[in-house]
Amino acid sequence: MRRAFILLALTSIVAVGSAPAGAVGAPGSPAAAQPAAAEPAAAEPVAVDADDLTPTPPMGFNNWNATFCRAEFNESMVKSMADIFVSTGLRDAGYEYVNMDDCWARPQNGPLGSRDAQGHLVPDPVRFPNGIKAVADYVHSRGLKFGIYHDAGTKTCNGQGFDGVLGQGYVAGNRRYEQIDAQDFANWGVDLVKHDWCNVPLSQVPPCTIPTQNPPCSGPRNLKARELYRTMRDALDATGRPIVFQVATLGDPGVQPWEWAADIGAQYWRTTGDIRANYTSMSNIAKFNMTLADYQRPGRWNDADMLQVGNAREGSGTWTLTEQETHFSLWSIMASPLLIGTDLRRATPETMDILLNKDVIAVNQDPLGVQGRLVRPVTNGQYVLAKPLENGDIAVALWNDTLSEQRISTSAVEIGFPAARDVYLMKDLWSKKLSVSRGEIAATVPPHGTVVLRVKLRPGPPGRPPVE
Ligand code: GAL
């Protein structure tokens, strides 16, 4: 798909969204300005076919769920994640992007603000004393890709955040920073940008009148969001560096990125508010994200948010290993990006077992690039999702969203195989148990658990006895 490069101007402003409470960031000590990067000759804009950048859902790491903006988020941590990707086999299992989230730049409310005299964002000198390019170079040296975080408004989302692309105190007609920030990112070697939706000044755009996200409401706010994100996407394209673009509108009920993100050239888009490390949060996100399967296509992904596997429970409820396996299973069958959100320096063997389940990862990364979807309406808390795979197999997830053990059954025909009398070979992707079936697919599933099966039509002519 090719995109025309259109220069868009934002013509009106009102306040949108407030920064969610977050941990305190590093002290905003006076910063040595980032050495001004030599301005390269403007590269010939490259209209990268977005389907080429993420042919399967992005996999990697993002620090946010592990650190928020606490001081432990720094160069040393990011480099450690890259090292652990290599030493534990996570890189070889497909985890590719090491992404930094909010607070990587000098805080807007610090003594020197976020930008230098030329308008460049200045990396936080305490967290990243060697600048961002040094971190990106290190990540690249480990055979990985590097992602960064930005915001479509005047300031990123955390209280200690930095200037968004509109800059502090933006009013219509003021200088904007999409081009300068995009070029800096390209100069630093950034491969992915997560673009958030906080402190976005929009005017004459009434807030969405439907208080919930479902059914979604489309309105002028949604259209303004599309223009703001398209402007940043085009600025990144104009650098000539292929850069993955994520739309992150933190579950704003007035914005439905799944309606337009693919069209403006984004590779993936958040569909809900932030995930928390507990079953209620995870399951609510899964239930909404799975309703959007029609908006996904190869190279364009619904993003159910970053993984909470390995993190201690946040808030109320429970966050058991079974529930974390369900989390990984559902994100995989829904073809959501798999971005590890736990500090791998403290990951337990159980956490690594989940993150390194290559059979489940293969379902998520299957080249056919189709999001799994419900095969029938949900009854008794039983969710049955099927994901067609490129080699003709079908992956099926049997999710028990209740507090009592349940037998969940479906059939080869219900999940999408032709209605022939055939024999099916099945593999349980967590227990690794192999079985044979004439068509019935069933499992006893623990409370809040999920059984994932990969179902294959037995090769050869139908009608032979099930076991030869
Ligand atoms: C939120 C976003 C989170 C994280 C945070 C940083 O809006 O949804 O994923 O990026 O901002 O402040």
Side-chain angles (χ1 to χ4, degrees):
M1 188 192 84
R2 295 283 172 254
R3 283 181 304 282
F5 295 107
I6 304 164
L7 182 63
L8 295 155
L10 185 69
T11 55
S12 58
I13 60 174
V14 290
V16 161
S18 57
V24 176
S29 57
Q34 168 86 338
E39 296 293 337
E44 188 55 39
V46 173
V48 182
D49 188 329
D51 292 349
D52 296 339
L53 292 184
T54 55
T56 60
M59 290 179 66
F61 169 85
N62 177 295
N63 69 282
W64 182 253
N65 288 345
T67 65
F68 296 125
C69 285
R70 291 192 301 266
E72 71 206 72
F73 167 44
N74 58 27
E75 175 181 302
S76 168
M77 178 201 190
V78 177
K79 287 183 170 181
S80 297
M81 296 305 106
D83 292 338
I84 294 170
F85 266 30
V86 176
S87 63
T88 59
L90 284 165
R91 181 190 66 184
D92 297 340
Y95 295 92
E96 182 180 18
Y97 289 89
V98 177
N99 299 339
M100 308 200 315
D101 212 276
D102 203 351
C103 297
W104 63 263
R106 213 163 57 186
Q108 184 178 91
N109 59 19
L112 296 172
S114 300
R115 296 181 182 274
D116 66 15
Q118 289 72 41
H120 296 278
L121 284 173
V122 179
D124 184 296
V126 175
R127 297 176 194 270
F128 300 102
N130 300 303
I132 301 304
K133 187 176 186 309
V135 182
D137 289 348
Y138 187 85
V139 169
H140 292 151
S141 74
R142 306 311 318 260
L144 298 163
K145 292 184 177 173
F146 177 72
I148 206 165
Y149 167 94
H150 208 349
D151 182 85
T154 60
K155 178 175 174 295
T156 61
C157 295
N158 187 268
Q160 295 303 309
F162 58 91
D163 273 25
V165 292
L166 298 184
Q168 189 168 17
Y170 175 83
V171 293
N174 276 14
R175 175 186 184 185
R176 292 171 54 157
Y177 296 89
E178 288 94 343
Q179 276 72 20
I180 190 171
D181 293 347
Q183 193 57 57
D184 280 348
F185 291 169
N187 295 344
W188 295 344
V190 168
D191 303 297
L192 180 151
V193 173
K194 168 179 178 179
H195 209 42
D196 214 339
W197 177 248
C198 281
N199 304 304
V200 177
L202 293 173
S203 69
Q204 289 90 45
V205 175
C208 178
T209 52
I210 302 176
T212 67
Q213 277 180 290
N214 197 2
C217 61
S218 254
R221 189 183 181 132
N222 192 34
L223 300 179
K224 281 284 183 185
R226 186 184 67 185
E227 296 321 307
L228 279 165
Y229 279 88
R230 187 210 298 263
T231 302
M232 187 58 180
R233 169 76 267 180
D234 290 348
L236 292 168
D237 284 348
T239 69
R241 180 181 178 82
I243 296 175
V244 172
F245 190 51
Q246 177 198 10
V247 172
T249 54
L250 73 149
D252 180 335
V255 179
Q256 292 76 38
W258 50 87
E259 292 179 354
W260 46 262
D263 294 339
I264 60 114
Q267 279 69 44
Y268 65 113
W269 50 88
R270 280 274 302 281
T271 57
T272 67
D274 290 4
I275 190 170
R276 292 284 174 253
N278 66 67
Y279 182 80
T280 302
S281 170
M282 182 279 291
S283 57
N284 286 340
I285 285 177
K287 292 169 186 172
F288 183 72
N289 190 72
M290 64 176 69
T291 67
L292 301 173
D294 287 344
Y295 294 93
Q296 181 276 331
R297 65 173 193 264
R300 299 295 214 279
W301 312 101
N302 287 314
D303 175 14
D305 205 357
M306 304 166 288
L307 296 174
Q308 287 281 10
V309 172
N311 287 332
R313 189 198 75 213
E314 276 178 296
S316 60
T318 52
W319 194 229
T320 65
L321 270 182
T322 296
E323 293 166 341
Q324 294 178 46
E325 283 182 8
T326 286
H327 175 26
F328 198 71
S329 301
L330 294 177
W331 266 235
S332 292
I333 204 106
M334 293 190 296
S336 174
L338 298 177
L339 290 172
I340 294 169
T342 194
D343 188 335
L344 291 166
R345 294 171 295 188
R346 291 193 288 274
T348 64
E350 294 77 11
T351 292
M352 296 307 291
D353 286 346
I354 293 174
L355 297 176
L356 282 168
N357 186 325
K358 294 182 179 177
D359 288 325
V360 176
I361 290 171
V363 170
N364 177 265
Q365 294 292 298
D366 183 78
L368 194 64
V370 172
Q371 177 171 337
R373 56 178 70 219
L374 287 171
V375 302
R376 65 183 190 223
V378 178
T379 55
N380 304 322
Q382 299 189 7
Y383 289 74
V384 180
L385 296 98
K387 186 182 196 287
L389 306 176
E390 187 186 53
N391 71 347
D393 294 0
I394 297 178
V396 57
L398 309 175
W399 172 27
N400 173 6
D401 183 37
T402 73
L403 287 172
S404 49
E405 182 179 278
Q406 288 207 69
R407 183 115 181 109
I408 300 179
S409 62
T410 177
S411 70
V413 171
E414 186 175 51
I415 69 170
F417 281 104
R421 234 172 46 77
D422 287 310
V423 174
Y424 303 88
L425 312 178
M426 301 195 294
K427 180 176 184 181
D428 182 314
L429 301 187
W430 288 105
S431 71
K432 310 305 179 187
K433 180 171 170 289
L434 302 173
S435 60
V436 177
S437 159
R438 276 217 177 275
E440 201 219 8
I441 299 169
T444 299
V445 188
H448 288 178
T450 300
V451 168
V452 184
L453 299 167
R454 183 165 186 143
V455 186
K456 177 188 296 291
L457 195 55
R458 184 181 63 173
R464 290 172 294 139
V467 180
E468 285 161 337

